[in-house]
């Protein structure tokens, strides 16, 4: 990989995505053997800079960097000089001055990682920016699918839920389309972005239409923190009319994978029995997350090793 930063899957070529998935696959095999001491990032410093809450993404970037021998510093907005009025650019310059090699940033504003990347020498990795992109999540989703099916090309992937506020949906759409999958979206009309079909998504009018013959059914979290208007009457009604349950899943292919980026609102986007069921890959996605983030950090920094 010959780029300084990973800011989104919109920018990455199919070859670059494939390279990350192939290295991620090797990393996952090592993790399955409980190998957690690798030399790939020895002598490197990685800072996670999170202006929004996170469990999975922040922890797995930290573990990925540590398993490969990097020094890791974690900064959250609540405990940093952002509280004293420091700008993002000045925070980035400060981290550069400390000879930091990689900044992994999550920010509520779309475009914040792009701004940071333009102003710092360190490699910048987007760990989720507003409603824009979440590239490492889509890459871990694709790694999980590829591991199960041996390929992405030709898969039918139904993504169901709060598409409008979802950076996960957008990154998955860009990545999956580039690798030849069919991507179907279903959401209440109030949570479906206008003209998303122009980006290559198939916009479905019902849950059953979206799930019909699908290889993968992915629920998305209702992002109450990003919604300022009542886009649906209540969570109960959302679950009843828009959620994925056993009846809806029957329309998918036999054994279709059930996925969710997490955190899950149990019983809202997916029923508890589907979350914990045999075809659920939600915990597998978490392991893929460490592997794919190891691949991203390694591929960005490897020229310098
Ligand atoms: N999927 C995801 O981004 O989870 P976190 O918010 O816990 O990082």
């Amino acid at each position: 990989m010959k780029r300084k930063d990973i800011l989104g899957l919109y920018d990455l070529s199919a070859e670059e995505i494939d390279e990350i998935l192939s290295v991620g696959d090797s990393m996952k095999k090592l993790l399955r053997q409980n190998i957690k001491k690798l030399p790939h990032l020895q002598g490197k410093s990685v800072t996670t800079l999170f202006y929004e809450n996170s469990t999975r993404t922040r922890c797995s970037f930290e573990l990925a960097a540590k398993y490969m021998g990097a020094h890791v510093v974690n900064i959250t907005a609540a405990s940093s000089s952002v509280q004293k009025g420091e700008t993002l650019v000045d925070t980035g310059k400060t981290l550069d001055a400390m000879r930091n090699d990689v900044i992994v940033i999550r920010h509520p504003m779309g475009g914040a990682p792009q701004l940071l990347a333009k102003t710092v020498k360190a490699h910048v990795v987007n760990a989720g920016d507003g409603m824009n992109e979440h590239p490492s999540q889509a890459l871990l989703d694709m790694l999980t699918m590829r591991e199960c099916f041996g390929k992405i090309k030709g898969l039918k992937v139904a993504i169901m839920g709060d598409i409008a506020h979802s950076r996960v949906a957008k990154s998955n759409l860009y990545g999956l389309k580039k690798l030849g999958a069919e991507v179907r979206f279903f959401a209440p009309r109030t949570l479906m972005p206008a003209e998303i079909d122009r980006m290559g998504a198939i916009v479905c009018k019902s849950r059953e239409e979206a799930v019909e013959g699908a290889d993968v059914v992915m629920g998305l979290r209702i992002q109450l923190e990003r919604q300022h208007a009542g886009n649906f009457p209540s969570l109960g009604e959302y679950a009843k009319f828009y959620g994925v349950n056993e009846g809806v899943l029957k329309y998918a292919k036999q054994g279709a994978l059930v996925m969710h980026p997490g955190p899950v609102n149990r019983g809202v986007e997916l029923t508890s029995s589907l979350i914990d069921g045999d075809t659920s890959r939600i915990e597998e996605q978490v392991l893929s997350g460490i592997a794919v983030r190891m691949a991203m950090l390694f591929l960005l920094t490897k020229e310098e090793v």
Side-chain angles (χ1 to χ4, degrees), residues 50 53-58 106 134 137 167-168 261-263:
F50 273 55
N53 294 342
S54 168
T55 298
R56 280 148 283 270
T57 312
R58 202 204 58 70
R106 171 170 285 190
H134 193 347
Q137 178 66 48
R167 52 200 180 203
V168 176

Side-chain angles (χ1 to χ4, degrees), residues 15-89:
E15 291 70 31
E16 287 173 305
I17 294 172
D18 214 42
E19 187 181 12
I20 295 169
L21 296 182
S22 295
V23 175
D25 200 46
S26 304
M27 295 297 186
K28 199 165 172 191
K29 288 190 171 80
L30 295 173
L31 290 173
R32 284 197 197 287
Q33 295 169 56
N34 216 20
I35 295 171
K36 295 188 276 191
K37 198 170 166 59
L38 297 163
H40 302 63
L41 257 66
Q42 219 158 38
K44 302 287 179 195
S45 307
V46 175
T47 298
T48 68
L49 180 60
F50 273 55
Y51 293 80
E52 261 188 6
N53 294 342
S54 168
T55 298
R56 280 148 283 270
T57 312
R58 202 204 58 70
C59 284
S60 61
F61 267 115
E62 179 176 355
L63 289 175
K66 284 182 169 169
Y67 290 167
M68 295 190 294
H71 304 286
V72 182
V73 175
N74 296 306
I75 303 176
T76 60
S79 62
S80 74
S81 289
V82 170
Q83 294 296 337
K84 302 175 191 165
E86 187 170 62
T87 67
L88 175 61
V89 169

Side-chain angles (χ1 to χ4, degrees), residues 87-98 103 116 119-120:
T87 67
L88 175 61
V89 169
D90 285 338
T91 300
K93 285 181 179 165
T94 304
L95 294 174
D96 257 0
M98 292 176 182
I103 302 174
L116 186 67
T119 50
V120 296

Side-chain angles (χ1 to χ4, degrees), residues 130 162 165-167 221-227 265:
D162 186 353
H165 298 95
S166 178
R167 52 200 180 203
R221 186 173 67 87
I222 294 296
Q223 301 199 25
L224 293 169
E225 74 277 21
R226 294 192 213 279
Q227 296 191 31
N265 295 308

